[in-house]
Amino acid sequence: MIAFDTVTKTYHVKDIKKLILDDVSFAFESGKNIAVMGHNGAGKSTLMRLIAGIELPTSGLVTSDETVSWPLGFVGGFNGLMTGIENVRFVARIYGHDSDRILEDVRQFAELGLSIELPISTYSSGMKARLAFGLSLAINFDCYLIDEITAVGDRRFKLKSKKALTDKIRTARVIMISHAEKTIHNYCDSGVLLHNSKLYYYDDLKSLIKDYQKFC
Amino acid sequence: MGIAKLTWLQIRVIVSLTLRETRMTFGTSHSGYLWAIVQPLVSITFLVFIFYLIGRQAPYGTSLALFFSTAVLTLEMHNKMSVSLMRAFTSNKALLTYPMIRETDTLFARTVLIGSTFVIINIILYGGLIGFGLADLPSNPEHIILAFLSALLFSFGLGTINAILYQRNQSWQHVEKVLARPLFFMSGVFYIPSHMPPEAVMVLKWNPVLHLVEWVREGYYANYTSQILDIPYVLSVGACLSMIGLFFERITRKSRV
């Protein structure tokens, strides 16, 4: 379970104060595949970073007893000067996994061929996303955070990714930002709406999408 | 998580980061690492050459090279640390994707990397000087080691404060450059500080790097006695700067990300 206890998050950009979360207490219960919806700029990505533990709340507490991935679709975690292999080994090491095994899995999934030996700065954004996705699948998290999975690669790779993710959520769960109803129906069974700095929980996707269309 | 598990995680993170920093600093080739070793060697050779040209003797002992080495190694390590730590937060933004990595870890990793590089440089340089008959064996090597560790502590503290100031305002790098410039003249590289006029000593003795240099010299030369060296002073400055640095890192963490 990932729990938010009276979490407030504000940003100061120049002199403008932006309130992302206002005193939110909420539990992302284990085993639930949760869709996160909200209008552009509501702070969905910030919410993901709070869940991932890579950003601290302004006040309040975020606790988790699951291993949580970094937000996927976000490839900022790679170092452009290092090769694909070096980046993969680095991440495997900090998560305490056997870097040879992880590398083998990533090689097979990402299908980058010899490019995996080149610096990441030479990759296209699709190649980076493939590497990041493959790496996160290889690490076996309890909870996958997915920020707008924009389909990467060609049709065959899209199908492969879809299948891999579907397989994954038999043993793990996802918390996913998406605007696409179809994607949400494919992977999620419940959802939250981030609206006016508050979180609203929906047991069924129909009423979530209805409210999303009404308010956002 | 238990203490053992947390310790293991911390070690894992710092080791991985140090490997990564090594790769980032020196590139893929071994020649990158070689350059780091050559740099202080060049500074020392240059100083020896100038002193030789103007026909000066070593201010202490018989070896110019040894006299310069005892200061240049300490000073260069300090300069490297100060600049490298200053950029630790800003050049490692990508790492914040991984929740177990805190910004302080990048400071520790850079300290480990520069510290171990300078252990190697020290061994090669003193070993070389001794091998070529340009220096005797150090009389109190344990003092050189203690001085080296204290130098790391002091530079870590100052570097951490630099990192925070630099992140707040990038123009800090220019201020730091201006402030660090006089260190070369104020750290006893080419003179014996105790022989300076009292007015000069009054000013020089505030410079912690000078104390560290004097400490190394007392450790190396059998009869070198410094009237300036104040070990509690340099240790407390190092400890205070480190604590202030880490304290400000902690309280500004939320507003920084």
Side-chain angles (χ1 to χ4, degrees):
Chain A
M1 186 174 79
I2 299 157
F4 278 40
D5 183 10
T6 58
V7 168
T8 297
K9 180 73 191 177
T10 52
Y11 271 121
H12 289 272
V13 185
K14 308 261 172 187
D15 286 331
I16 298 161
K17 186 176 155 188
K18 213 178 155 194
L19 183 62
I20 305 290
L21 288 178
D22 181 15
D23 197 27
V24 167
S25 293
F26 186 78
F28 294 86
E29 276 174 54
S30 301
K32 288 215 155 108
N33 296 312
I34 301 170
V36 177
M37 299 190 94
H39 65 81
N40 278 333
K44 300 185 293 296
S45 295
T46 305
L47 176 67
M48 283 300 210
R49 287 199 296 275
L50 287 166
I51 295 172
I54 56 185
E55 206 158 313
L56 294 171
T58 311
S59 68
L61 195 63
V62 178
T63 51
S64 167
D65 55 11
E66 303 169 50
T67 56
V68 181
S69 78
W70 60 86
L72 296 181
F74 169 76
V75 283
F78 288 138
N79 186 312
L81 295 175
M82 300 201 309
T83 66
I85 293 181
E86 287 169 331
N87 273 292
V88 168
R89 282 197 193 279
F90 172 75
V91 176
R93 271 191 221 113
I94 55 172
Y95 280 96
H97 288 282
D98 175 13
S99 64
D100 287 330
R101 180 186 69 78
I102 301 281
L103 187 60
E104 208 35 61
D105 285 5
V106 174
R107 264 186 210 275
Q108 275 188 12
F109 186 85
E111 297 176 19
L112 292 173
L114 289 173
S115 295
I116 202 161
E117 290 168 28
L118 293 176
I120 299 270
S121 55
T122 64
Y123 288 19
S124 69
S125 52
M127 286 162 77
K128 276 190 245 181
R130 264 150 68 175
L131 189 68
F133 190 52
L135 180 55
S136 65
L137 289 179
I139 290 189
N140 279 326
F141 292 104
D142 297 332
C143 174
Y144 282 81
L145 303 179
I146 298 172
D147 192 345
E148 290 285 3
I149 194 151
T150 40
V152 292
D154 50 24
R155 201 181 60 90
R156 199 181 55 82
F157 192 82
K158 274 181 212 157
L159 283 174
K160 183 175 169 179
S161 305
K162 201 176 157 193
K163 188 177 169 299
L165 194 59
T166 314
D167 283 349
K168 206 73 197 176
I169 56 180
R170 293 208 187 98
T171 51
R173 57 106 154 223
V174 291
I175 298 178
M176 165 185 284
I177 296 176
S178 185
H179 293 286
E181 279 178 44
K182 196 167 159 258
T183 315
I184 287 174
H185 277 292
N186 274 342
Y187 300 107
C188 303
D189 44 52
S190 57
V192 289
L193 184 66
L194 179 57
H195 187 60
N196 288 340
S197 315
K198 294 279 186 194
L199 274 187
Y200 302 92
Y201 178 71
Y202 295 86
D203 228 345
D204 70 310
L205 295 171
K206 269 211 180 76
S207 40
L208 168 72
I209 289 163
K210 213 176 101 201
D211 275 9
Y212 170 69
Q213 283 162 349
K214 196 159 117 199
F215 294 115
C216 303
Chain B
M1 268 199 275
I3 298 281
K5 231 176 158 187
L6 276 175
T7 314
W8 169 230
L9 174 70
Q10 186 65 51
I11 292 171
R12 214 165 64 208
V13 164
I14 291 183
V15 169
S16 320
L17 278 176
T18 307
L19 289 173
R20 179 182 168 120
E21 286 293 337
T22 312
R23 171 70 179 77
M24 301 311 305
T25 317
F26 302 115
T28 32
S29 64
H30 297 297
S31 63
Y33 202 74
L34 205 68
W35 279 116
I37 295 172
V38 164
Q39 219 172 34
L41 205 73
V42 171
S43 318
I44 292 163
T45 313
F46 185 67
L47 281 170
V48 171
F49 184 64
I50 301 242
F51 265 58
Y52 181 76
L53 273 188
I54 57 172
R56 292 270 296 271
Q57 296 289 311
Y60 193 88
T62 51
S63 166
L64 271 172
L66 178 62
F67 188 79
F68 293 140
S69 300
T70 49
V72 168
L73 289 183
T74 308
L75 188 62
E76 290 232 341
M77 181 166 84
H78 173 71
N79 288 340
K80 274 266 151 59
M81 283 277 287
S82 186
V83 172
S84 165
L85 294 199
M86 179 165 70
R87 297 172 205 282
F89 292 168
T90 39
S91 58
N92 276 310
K93 281 244 178 294
L95 290 175
L96 299 178
T97 316
Y98 310 106
M100 69 288 272
I101 299 178
R102 294 277 171 248
E103 284 179 316
T104 44
D105 295 326
T106 62
L107 295 174
F108 295 137
R110 287 184 174 205
T111 306
V112 170
L113 174 61
I114 296 173
S116 33
T117 307
F118 271 84
V119 166
I120 294 170
I121 295 175
N122 271 280
I123 291 171
I124 290 179
L125 206 84
Y126 288 131
L129 289 177
I130 294 165
F132 285 112
L134 289 168
D136 295 326
L137 286 170
S139 61
N140 290 306
E142 72 278 9
H143 275 286
I144 300 176
I145 294 167
L146 287 175
F148 179 86
L149 293 175
S150 311
L152 273 183
L153 176 72
F154 169 69
S155 310
F156 174 81
L158 198 68
T160 306
I161 290 174
N162 274 338
I164 292 161
L165 293 172
Y166 178 61
Q167 198 175 38
R168 300 232 131 186
N169 192 337
Q170 309 263 310
S171 54
W172 177 253
Q173 59 178 321
H174 306 298
V175 181
E176 193 272 348
K177 226 182 214 165
V178 173
L179 292 180
R181 190 48 54 88
L183 271 185
F184 181 76
F185 301 99
M186 292 183 66
S187 303
V189 175
F190 40 82
Y191 54 87
I192 300 172
S194 308
H195 292 177
M196 297 299 273
E199 300 82 38
V201 171
M202 283 291 282
V203 180
L204 291 177
K205 70 176 185 187
W206 292 98
N207 172 14
V209 180
L210 181 73
H211 289 258
L212 293 162
V213 169
E214 290 281 84
W215 199 352
V216 173
R217 284 181 181 159
E218 276 202 0
Y220 210 103
Y221 297 111
N223 297 311
Y224 189 96
T225 41
S226 169
Q227 287 158 19
I228 289 171
L229 175 60
D230 182 352
I231 294 174
Y233 170 71
V234 69
L235 284 180
S236 44
V237 169
C240 284
L241 289 179
S242 301
M243 277 193 290
I244 293 170
L246 291 176
F247 174 74
F248 276 102
E249 189 282 325
R250 184 63 192 90
I251 61 168
T252 55
R253 196 180 283 167
K254 281 183 192 176
S255 58
R256 260 202 330 258
V257 179

